[in-house]
Amino acid sequence: MKTKTEKGRVRICFLFLDPSLSKSLFLSHPPPPAAALNPSLTALNLSPSPRRNAVQSSAAAAPLLSSPRRTTPHRTQSFSSSRFRLSNITGIATAYLDDQNNTMPTIGVGRDLLFAALGRTYTQEEFEDLCFDFGIELDDVTTEKAIVRKEKHLEEEADEDEEVIYKIDIPANRYDLLCLEGLAQALRVFCGIQEIPTYKLADISKDAMLKMHVKPETSLIRPFVVCAVLRGLTFDKARYNSFIDLQDKLHQNICRRRTLVAIGTHDLDKLEGPFTYEALPPSSINFTPLKQERSFRADELMEFYKSDLKLKKFLHIIEDSPVYPVIYDSKRTVLSLPPIINGAHSAITLETKNVFIECTATDLTKAKVVLNTMVTAFAEYCENKFVIEPVEVISSDGKSHIYPDLSVHTMEVPLSYINGRIGISLEAEEVTKLLYRMQLYAKQSTSDNKQSNIIVSVPPTRSDVLHPCDVSEDVAIAYGFNAIMDQAIVDNNGSNRLAASLTLLPLNEMSDLIRKEVAMVGFTEVLTFILCSKKENFSMLNRKDDKSKAVIIGNPRSSDFEAVRTTLMPGILKTVAHNKDHPKPIKIFEVGDIAILDDNDVGAKNLRQLAALHCGAHAGLEIIHGLVDKVMEKNGITFSPGDKSGGYYIEESDEPEFFARRQARIIYKGKQIGIFGIVDPEVLKNFDITDPCSFVELNIESFL
């Protein structure tokens, strides 16, 4: 979640995390101003603002929830280029990742349609505040024509009558907010305009239900299918477009580009049940696909769609399988060839009144979540509002299941857990009211030991609520992050302490202290991408890739992001390369994580590193050496040659990225924790740097 302490400038990332759920998470900064946007490198804009923190939790340490403000005074510097921008006012840099790499889903909704659904109009500032209070963000204000002009690089002037589009960032796990209907309903409940809707299954007998029969061959490719019917649906153009767009958003998000789940929607009045879900050889499947006028065999269709920009990226899911999944009605009319295309016969239109929805999947849990999201978002347009007609799915072993599953699940959360996680002291009645605003029914209960608990009922729209920490997060959002004060609370043992949300982890506290000390001796902090190319990580540093260290990205979108960095050196050198015209010397540093392969259950591990570089008329090895001594001194570590117990010393090393006999490894407690030296001229040439440089990198975790 995000908060801000200065209008439009400072946003702090908040995270509610139970130590048992994750080993490491990263918090990111808000998007940069337009002048700083750059798809190639991190754009930096320095001012007194919250620091990024890597959150690493364990059973013994509570997770970080807020980042401290940095206000270390220092001289003014500025770095700039066409691809990289850094201005230094305080000696501590604040980084903004390019919004093209933002992983949060963004939905585009018509401003006027949204305001009509909310029952009132807002100024842009008022709506930004509403989004902020609800835990989402208004990312951009544009128009459909402006988007087209931008894509085609046109410079035509905008028309005054163009429809305004709000582009809103949505949390990745809030699938219910991925369309205008879900977003508007959530905001209405949040603002107290509407009560939480109750979704029901239509009251029909099992004999009268539509049936989907699953053949055993489907287990070879996509074994699961879930279905539902929306009866008496009323479409207009906006609703129809939103219905189609929600499917696309889900396909890109929880469905993992249709690999886990594929959604098919059909005009039920053009079909006749019961339906069958089968898996047949491609040559046996013949139908007319959506938006085509002739019939294709399934294998012909694969070749045909290899030239289709939208559909060709899904062909690999089933292309090499000996059987393809297919859904028929009782007349052997093809409904769909999942996950590729629907049949033209059952295509929905603005006149469609009864919609049959089927979701085929390799993951049954996600299929049920997707189906629930689709039907609950549009059930308000049905003749009987919020009523969904169920479908009986009969599996190949004869077992019967009724979908959708609209049951409400409950969880019991101690009130002390909620208050302790957030850092507030609320009564149970206040908590239940706050949870209601977040579409969660809640009531108070008392356990046998007289502990006050909150029983939370989670509706089918809130599939993101899986753990008590999710409940705590919703309470914090409704309470208001800006209202959370940095103050002590009384824990279960009756002692005063900071809430878990306000307590720094030792590693993060150490990182911040080192940042401050390095900045105070004249270095400027930078923040670079954790992903890099394999070339930058190895050959440009004169290293060989033995395949035993680097974490490689599968199917990278760009050659610039092929691997997780195993050293901070490439990013530091690229920063210098794009600021060659800056007055010398350039003295920059970074505190950040690298990742290396490991034998643990994850297969890799993060290491927190400090790296610093001096670039000028001379290499400045003595300055880098002095920095090493300074960091060690501030950690209370003395220079003790040969001491393997508590001191540190240096010894000659032979690493290819450094100049021979002008480099040394740092030994602490008998182990190498870092290395420094003059960067090899060939490495500098690879990065197009003409001035000599000295560089140091050492592991911060070794000080803990």
Side-chain angles (χ1 to χ4, degrees):
M1 292 302 110
K2 299 173 181 175
T3 189
K4 54 189 176 183
T5 57
E6 179 184 333
K7 193 71 171 179
R9 179 64 188 90
V10 176
R11 298 183 183 95
I12 305 173
C13 291
F14 279 77
L15 175 68
F16 290 82
L17 174 70
D18 189 272
S20 63
L21 297 183
S22 175
K23 292 187 176 179
S24 65
L25 290 174
F26 293 90
L27 304 184
S28 61
H29 281 286
L37 286 179
N38 186 287
S40 304
L41 285 175
T42 308
L44 302 180
N45 187 344
L46 191 147
S47 70
S49 63
R51 284 289 320 152
R52 170 185 61 90
N53 280 278
V55 180
Q56 298 200 0
S57 61
S58 64
L64 176 71
L65 275 176
S66 64
S67 306
R69 177 180 287 269
R70 311 293 308 181
T71 55
T72 307
H74 191 54
R75 61 179 179 171
T76 299
Q77 300 186 57
S78 65
F79 291 80
S80 64
S81 76
S82 60
R83 301 178 64 196
F84 192 90
R85 176 169 167 260
L86 166 68
S87 63
N88 182 4
I89 297 174
T90 66
I92 300 293
T94 299
Y96 297 94
L97 293 181
D98 178 7
D99 63 354
Q100 293 184 14
N101 297 297
N102 189 352
T103 58
M104 290 181 68
T106 300
I107 65 168
V109 296
R111 180 195 62 186
D112 296 341
L113 289 172
L114 179 59
F115 287 174
L118 294 176
R120 58 158 291 188
T121 60
Y122 295 82
T123 65
Q124 183 174 325
E125 183 178 356
E126 288 173 337
F127 188 71
E128 284 179 340
D129 289 340
L130 174 60
C131 288
F132 169 77
D133 291 340
F134 186 62
I136 58 180
E137 182 177 6
L138 179 60
D139 181 62
D140 191 18
V141 180
T142 183
T143 66
E144 289 285 359
K145 292 182 179 179
I147 295 172
V148 173
R149 286 195 296 270
K150 184 177 181 180
E151 290 174 349
K152 295 183 178 181
H153 304 287
L154 301 176
E155 296 183 358
E156 300 174 5
E157 293 186 2
D159 297 330
E160 292 183 0
D161 59 346
E162 291 183 18
E163 181 187 11
V164 176
I165 303 296
Y166 277 176
K167 302 186 85 171
I168 302 171
D169 284 342
I170 303 296
N173 61 347
R174 288 297 302 268
Y175 314 119
D176 58 311
L177 304 181
L178 289 174
C179 62
L180 181 144
E181 288 74 16
L183 176 63
Q185 179 175 281
L187 290 176
R188 288 196 299 266
V189 174
F190 183 76
C191 295
I193 301 172
Q194 173 187 329
E195 293 185 352
I196 302 174
T198 301
Y199 299 95
K200 299 179 180 179
L201 294 179
D203 186 16
I204 59 175
S205 67
K206 199 170 184 179
D207 292 338
M209 287 183 193
L210 283 171
K211 292 176 173 54
M212 172 71 76
H213 296 274
V214 181
K215 296 300 178 71
E217 295 80 10
T218 57
S219 62
L220 300 174
I221 186 163
R222 294 176 80 84
F224 305 112
V225 63
V226 295
C227 313
V229 175
L230 293 176
R231 290 276 185 186
L233 200 62
T234 303
F235 276 130
D236 57 26
K237 186 176 180 180
R239 294 175 182 178
Y240 177 86
N241 290 338
S242 181
F243 187 73
I244 300 300
D245 190 53
L246 176 59
Q247 295 177 58
D248 290 338
K249 285 287 191 293
L250 290 170
H251 277 149
Q252 293 299 315
N253 194 321
I254 184 175
C255 300
R256 295 297 185 268
R257 299 186 180 183
R258 307 190 189 182
T259 56
L260 300 182
V261 186
I263 309 165
T265 55
H266 313 275
D267 190 332
L268 185 59
D269 295 331
K270 300 176 183 178
L271 302 169
E272 189 171 322
F275 305 99
T276 58
Y277 177 42
E278 307 177 21
L280 301 174
S283 57
S284 303
I285 304 171
N286 202 304
F287 71 105
T288 303
L290 197 63
K291 297 182 180 179
Q292 300 299 322
E293 296 181 355
R294 72 176 183 90
S295 182
F296 290 81
R297 281 203 328 263
D299 50 354
E300 295 174 338
L301 201 58
M302 288 294 172
E303 290 298 321
F304 179 75
Y305 282 135
K306 284 183 178 179
S307 60
D308 188 288
L309 293 177
K310 181 178 180 181
L311 294 178
K312 67 179 181 180
K313 57 190 174 184
F314 306 121
L315 301 182
H316 70 92
I317 302 173
I318 63 170
E319 188 175 19
D320 297 329
S321 173
V323 292
Y324 288 179
V326 60
I327 298 178
Y328 291 101
D329 74 352
S330 60
K331 294 184 177 180
R332 302 300 288 175
T333 301
V334 172
L335 278 70
S336 66
L337 181 74
I340 309 302
I341 193 73
N342 291 342
H345 179 79
S346 58
I348 63 172
T349 65
L350 291 176
E351 287 71 41
T352 297
K353 294 297 180 184
N354 302 308
V355 177
F356 178 71
I357 303 174
E358 41 86 4
C359 299
T360 59
T362 58
D363 186 317
L364 180 59
T365 300
K366 285 184 170 57
K368 292 192 286 188
V369 170
V370 169
L371 182 64
N372 284 351
T373 302
M374 288 293 301
V375 298
T376 54
F378 288 87
E380 64 175 301
Y381 299 141
C382 291
E383 186 175 356
N384 294 323
K385 290 185 68 172
F386 308 122
V387 176
I388 297 104
E389 181 177 317
V391 175
E392 182 182 7
V393 176
I394 303 170
S395 57
S396 57
D397 59 5
K399 293 182 179 179
S400 173
H401 301 276
I402 306 299
Y403 296 108
D405 180 7
L406 300 179
S407 59
V408 174
H409 74 271
T410 61
M411 65 171 66
E412 191 166 352
V413 185
L415 179 61
S416 59
Y417 177 91
I418 295 173
N419 285 331
R421 285 280 135 189
I422 305 172
I424 54 180
S425 297
L426 295 178
E427 298 297 328
E429 184 179 355
E430 296 176 275
V431 171
T432 58
K433 290 180 179 178
L434 293 173
L435 287 172
Y436 189 89
R437 296 183 66 195
M438 303 303 294
Q439 297 179 283
L440 297 174
Y441 286 106
K443 61 181 180 180
Q444 182 184 6
S445 73
T446 304
S447 61
D448 295 337
N449 59 1
K450 297 184 179 181
Q451 181 182 22
S452 181
N453 295 330
I454 305 297
I455 299 178
V456 182
S457 300
V458 183
T461 53
R462 293 299 309 274
S463 59
D464 60 298
V465 180
L466 304 172
H467 187 274
C469 66
D470 299 315
V471 176
S472 298
E473 181 182 30
D474 275 5
V475 172
I477 292 171
Y479 182 77
F481 284 127
N482 280 341
I484 299 174
M485 308 304 294
D486 188 355
Q487 59 188 7
I489 62 170
V490 179
D491 63 15
N492 295 337
N493 299 321
S495 57
N496 288 331
R497 64 169 179 82
L498 280 178
S501 61
L502 304 172
T503 306
L504 281 174
L505 291 177
L507 178 58
N508 292 326
E509 188 172 16
M510 172 65 72
S511 301
D512 283 344
L513 291 172
I514 289 178
R515 285 186 179 104
K516 179 179 179 180
E517 293 299 332
V518 178
M520 289 180 68
V521 297
F523 285 77
T524 300
E525 185 174 10
V526 298
L527 182 63
T528 60
F529 285 145
I530 197 170
L531 299 182
C532 62
S533 69
K534 288 189 283 187
K535 183 179 179 182
E536 292 168 348
N537 202 54
F538 294 105
S539 62
M540 291 178 68
L541 298 179
N542 291 343
R543 295 178 173 180
K544 292 183 179 180
D545 182 10
D546 60 3
K547 312 296 183 183
S548 66
K549 193 172 184 180
V551 178
I552 305 301
I553 307 301
N555 301 316
R557 297 185 65 179
S558 166
S559 60
D560 292 331
F561 305 108
E562 297 175 312
V564 182
R565 62 188 179 187
T566 59
T567 170
L568 301 180
M569 196 173 196
I572 294 281
L573 292 176
K574 286 169 69 176
T575 302
V576 174
H578 291 286
N579 290 277
K580 289 181 294 186
D581 295 333
H582 188 274
K584 303 299 187 295
I586 294 175
K587 297 165 65 178
I588 56 177
F589 79 98
E590 178 172 9
V591 174
D593 281 19
I594 64 171
I596 59 173
L597 296 177
D598 190 74
D599 293 331
N600 60 25
D601 56 345
V602 178
K605 65 180 180 181
N606 288 3
L607 296 175
R608 184 70 55 82
Q609 305 285 104
L610 163 67
L613 179 139
H614 177 282
C615 177
H618 61 90
L621 180 59
E622 70 282 1
I623 296 175
I624 292 298
H625 191 174
L627 179 63
V628 173
D629 292 338
K630 180 72 172 179
V631 171
M632 292 299 188
E633 177 191 348
K634 287 297 180 179
N635 280 284
I637 304 170
T638 59
F639 182 75
S640 304
D643 182 4
K644 295 185 178 181
S645 58
Y648 82 98
Y649 60 94
I650 61 174
E651 62 183 24
E652 186 177 346
S653 61
D654 187 24
E655 298 297 333
E657 62 266 35
F658 292 102
F659 204 97
R661 301 185 64 83
R662 294 294 184 272
Q663 56 177 292
R665 61 174 62 94
I666 305 167
I667 310 297
Y668 174 52
K669 293 184 178 180
K671 295 181 180 180
Q672 179 178 333
I673 65 167
I675 188 170
F676 69 95
I678 299 175
V679 182
D680 188 280
E682 186 177 343
V683 172
L684 296 178
K685 182 179 179 181
N686 292 337
F687 285 91
D688 195 24
I689 299 173
T690 56
D691 295 296
C693 299
S694 290
F695 177 83
V696 61
E697 183 168 354
L698 56 86
N699 180 252
I700 292 176
E701 297 176 31
S702 58
F703 301 141
L704 297 176

